[in-house]
Amino acid sequence: MSSRPVPHRTIAVVLAGGTGQRIGLEIPKQLLKIAGKSILEHTLHIFENAPDVDEVILLMTPAYLDDARRIVDKARLRKVTAVLAGGSTRSETTLIAIGAATERLGEGEDCNLLFHDAVRPLLSQRVVRECVESLERYQAVDVAIPSSDTVIVTRTHGDDGEFITEVPDRSRLRRGQTPQGFRLSTIRAAYERAVADPFFQATDDCSVVVKYLPDVPVHVVTGDDYNMKVTQPVDVFIADKLFQLASHAAPAQAGEAAYREQLSGKTMVVFGGSYGIGADICRIAEGFGARVFALGRSTTGTHVENLDHVEEALAHAYAETGRIDYVVNTAGVLRVGRLAETDNETIREALEVNYLAPVNIARTSYKYLSETEGQLLLFTSSSYTRGRAEYSLYSSTKAAMVNLTQALADEWAEDGIRVNCVNPERTATPMRTKAFGREPQDSLLTSESVALTSLDVLVSEMTGHVIDVRKQDPTSSPAQRSGFEAALASVLIRTSEDQGV
């Protein structure tokens, strides 16, 4: 029986050679901050968190090499193995990257190279994964999306301006994106022929393969509209808004052993751990070996809106175990009704429990999480993107959780503390049932599945992200889902037996 070939090593090459002149900046646009971080850092994090990428080489505008290295060091980007000066053109920069990758391999070895524009900071993990998978079958891949606009070909007639000469069939037109991926041996061979051509010029690498290696097919991976390139002033504004709304999928663990390895011996404090998602997080984490402190109004008398209660709970957990690795807050109140008809007590409760409490939990947790380089996990609602009538207080406070997450992730990055926010779809919890009554069960997420995704986030290196949890997540591969379900079933069965259920 033949065994499957070992996948090639994959090196992502981040091209950050732009100067920002086209959008009127004094610094390169990749150093411009959006959503609290430089565009370059956002882009590097994509590959840092990509399971299919082994290494990252950064090619930077020569005058800003020190800035790039500071970003890499501050963000603790372990996969970035080299920060090199780029060339004066895209082609020169690609040649530098080819040389650097060649030096990393032994004689006769090959690898995958993914060339990606640093100013495309919204690249999805789905696209990265499909590029790498395609390179196991093809020698070159491009990323493109269908053109939604009609493209016209024009010709200028003196002072009369431009006139249409052709309208190509839009169904065959695609808008190119990055990454562009190649076997190292393929792109190296293409450039060896290109540099021998005195008329050679190119603005991307796939065109070099198409022209100089015409027998090599370039496979097209479908990109997405979010994968925009920040080029014009309006792009900065759009990208910032997209980051505010963008969500991510947590990388599911391979199975029970992976969860146990990550959680065994760790200390987790869960506010809102009496029932619903919080209780399931506690139960599953304990099943994987974590020391868990489940806190709730109805069980431990812990009122999250009371700062003294929060401080006492964290101090107790630290005194008992000598560490706190994870702090989770699932506590919240959902009151349905028109704001004009809402009494002062209901407003006060919503603001204190849904907003002031997470703020106090965050600032009290800081000293403990900085010791362990741990993580704070908050929860939002799908209504954060657009407030819903009849529960304006809940929607607005949940929107605040997203902003708090993004701000603290940046503020605490130097301390190694990760901060994330889970955004589950409608979930079968006692709080939801109390607010909306009985709903069809097949229309709701289970609290157990949200809990296990929350653990995926806690044991990951992600920070500053909003993580969607959907009933049918198309970004998860069958292997991930099967590992997820097996781990969940195993721990739920075991904990049920322990409790005599």
Side-chain angles (χ1 to χ4, degrees):
M1 183 175 69
S2 61
S3 59
R4 187 183 178 194
V6 177
H8 288 83
R9 179 176 180 80
T10 297
I11 300 175
V13 177
V14 176
L15 304 166
T19 61
Q21 291 179 346
R22 276 188 289 180
I23 56 175
L25 296 175
E26 295 182 357
I27 62 172
K29 54 184 177 289
Q30 59 269 26
L31 296 181
L32 193 68
K33 279 198 171 185
I34 55 175
K37 298 177 184 176
S38 69
I39 294 174
L40 175 60
E41 184 176 344
H42 283 297
T43 301
L44 290 172
H45 271 294
I46 294 167
F47 296 109
E48 182 76 15
N49 296 323
D52 299 297
V53 172
D54 301 291
E55 183 179 347
V56 179
I57 298 174
L58 172 59
L59 279 298
M60 186 64 184
T61 303
Y64 292 89
L65 280 172
D66 289 341
D67 297 85
R69 289 175 178 134
R70 278 193 292 270
I71 287 171
V72 171
D73 291 341
K74 179 181 176 182
R76 303 185 181 191
L77 297 167
R78 299 178 181 88
K79 288 186 182 178
V80 180
T81 58
V83 180
L84 306 175
S88 59
T89 66
R90 170 65 178 265
S91 298
E92 286 184 12
T93 301
T94 296
L95 283 167
I96 293 169
I98 290 172
T102 302
E103 291 176 358
R104 282 159 168 70
L105 301 178
E107 186 175 350
E109 290 184 338
D110 209 350
C111 72
N112 299 328
L113 290 184
L114 297 181
F115 292 90
H116 186 66
D117 298 325
V119 288
R120 292 186 186 270
L122 286 155
L123 173 67
S124 71
Q125 293 293 344
R126 191 268 305 171
V127 172
V128 175
R129 182 179 68 250
E130 290 187 12
C131 284
V132 175
E133 289 173 351
S134 294
L135 284 173
E136 293 308 309
R137 181 177 179 184
Y138 304 100
Q139 298 177 54
V141 300
D142 200 358
V143 173
I145 58 175
S147 176
S148 57
D149 297 317
T150 297
V151 177
I152 60 175
V153 179
T154 67
R155 186 167 57 191
T156 302
H157 288 271
D159 296 335
D160 294 330
E162 291 183 299
F163 294 84
I164 294 176
T165 60
E166 183 183 354
V167 181
D169 179 5
R170 190 173 69 185
S171 67
R172 298 184 61 191
L173 296 177
R174 298 293 182 269
R175 291 160 50 202
Q177 300 182 334
T178 62
Q180 293 184 335
F182 311 91
R183 298 279 178 84
L184 171 60
S185 56
T186 299
I187 191 65
R188 186 169 54 206
Y191 266 91
E192 285 172 354
R193 296 187 182 185
V195 295
D197 180 356
F199 302 104
F200 166 64
Q201 57 180 1
T203 57
D204 78 296
D205 298 310
C206 279
S207 64
V208 179
V209 172
V210 169
K211 182 174 182 179
Y212 294 99
L213 296 178
D215 294 331
V216 174
V218 180
H219 179 67
V220 178
V221 169
T222 302
D224 57 57
D225 291 324
Y226 268 62
N227 188 17
M228 63 176 293
K229 186 175 183 180
V230 179
T231 304
Q232 303 297 332
V234 69
D235 298 334
V236 178
F237 173 79
I238 293 172
D240 194 62
K241 292 303 176 184
L242 288 175
F243 261 107
Q244 186 180 14
L245 301 178
S247 59
H248 300 260
Q253 301 301 300
E256 181 181 353
Y259 289 106
R260 186 169 296 282
E261 180 181 355
Q262 296 275 10
L263 291 168
S264 183
K266 300 294 179 64
T267 297
M268 181 182 300
V269 178
V270 180
F271 293 95
S274 299
Y275 60 86
I277 296 170
D280 285 326
I281 289 174
C282 295
R283 182 158 54 112
I284 298 172
E286 283 185 326
F288 289 133
R291 179 73 184 274
V292 179
F293 294 82
L295 305 160
R297 183 176 300 188
S298 61
T299 52
T300 60
T302 304
H303 292 247
V304 291
E305 68 273 26
N306 187 314
L307 179 58
D308 290 338
H309 286 194
V310 172
E311 291 176 340
E312 290 169 7
L314 290 168
H316 172 70
Y318 186 79
E320 287 282 317
T321 66
R323 61 186 299 141
I324 296 178
D325 300 274
Y326 309 111
V327 176
V328 180
N329 179 48
T330 66
V333 292
L334 172 57
R335 303 288 184 254
V336 179
R338 296 173 63 87
L339 182 62
E341 299 164 3
T342 304
D343 60 69
N344 291 339
E345 178 59 26
T346 300
I347 293 173
R348 182 195 61 78
E349 179 193 41
L351 294 177
E352 288 188 351
V353 174
N354 293 347
Y355 182 70
L356 184 60
V359 169
N360 283 333
I361 289 170
R363 67 191 183 104
T364 308
S365 301
Y366 170 80
K367 65 179 180 182
Y368 301 110
L369 295 177
S370 62
E371 283 188 10
T372 58
E373 297 189 350
Q375 183 176 162
L376 171 67
L377 186 63
L378 303 174
F379 280 74
T380 187
S381 158
S382 58
S383 62
Y384 85 88
T385 59
R386 181 177 175 84
R388 305 287 197 269
E390 302 288 320
Y391 48 112
S392 56
L393 289 172
Y394 187 75
S395 296
S396 57
T397 53
K398 288 304 177 181
M401 290 305 97
V402 173
N403 283 278
L404 182 63
T405 295
Q406 293 167 337
L408 290 181
D410 190 40
E411 191 173 316
W412 292 354
E414 290 187 3
D415 303 297
I417 303 174
R418 288 159 289 130
V419 187
N420 288 296
C421 191
V422 171
N423 175 33
E425 279 185 332
R426 298 181 307 155
T427 307
T429 64
M431 182 179 76
R432 183 172 182 88
T433 301
K434 183 178 179 180
F436 298 107
R438 295 288 178 184
E439 300 172 279
Q441 286 299 301
D442 61 359
S443 70
L444 302 175
L445 283 164
T446 65
S447 60
E448 291 94 344
S449 64
V450 177
L452 194 54
T453 297
S454 300
L455 293 182
D456 285 335
V457 178
L458 289 171
V459 301
S460 76
E461 294 298 316
M462 303 174 73
T463 188
H465 293 305
V466 179
I467 297 92
D468 277 352
V469 188
R470 302 183 177 94
K471 280 184 66 65
Q472 194 72 31
D473 188 351
T475 64
S476 297
S477 67
Q480 286 178 318
R481 286 196 294 274
S482 63
F484 178 101
E485 291 160 359
L488 177 61
S490 174
V491 74
L492 290 181
I493 291 170
R494 187 170 58 253
T495 53
S496 296
E497 291 173 345
D498 292 343
Q499 295 167 7
V501 177

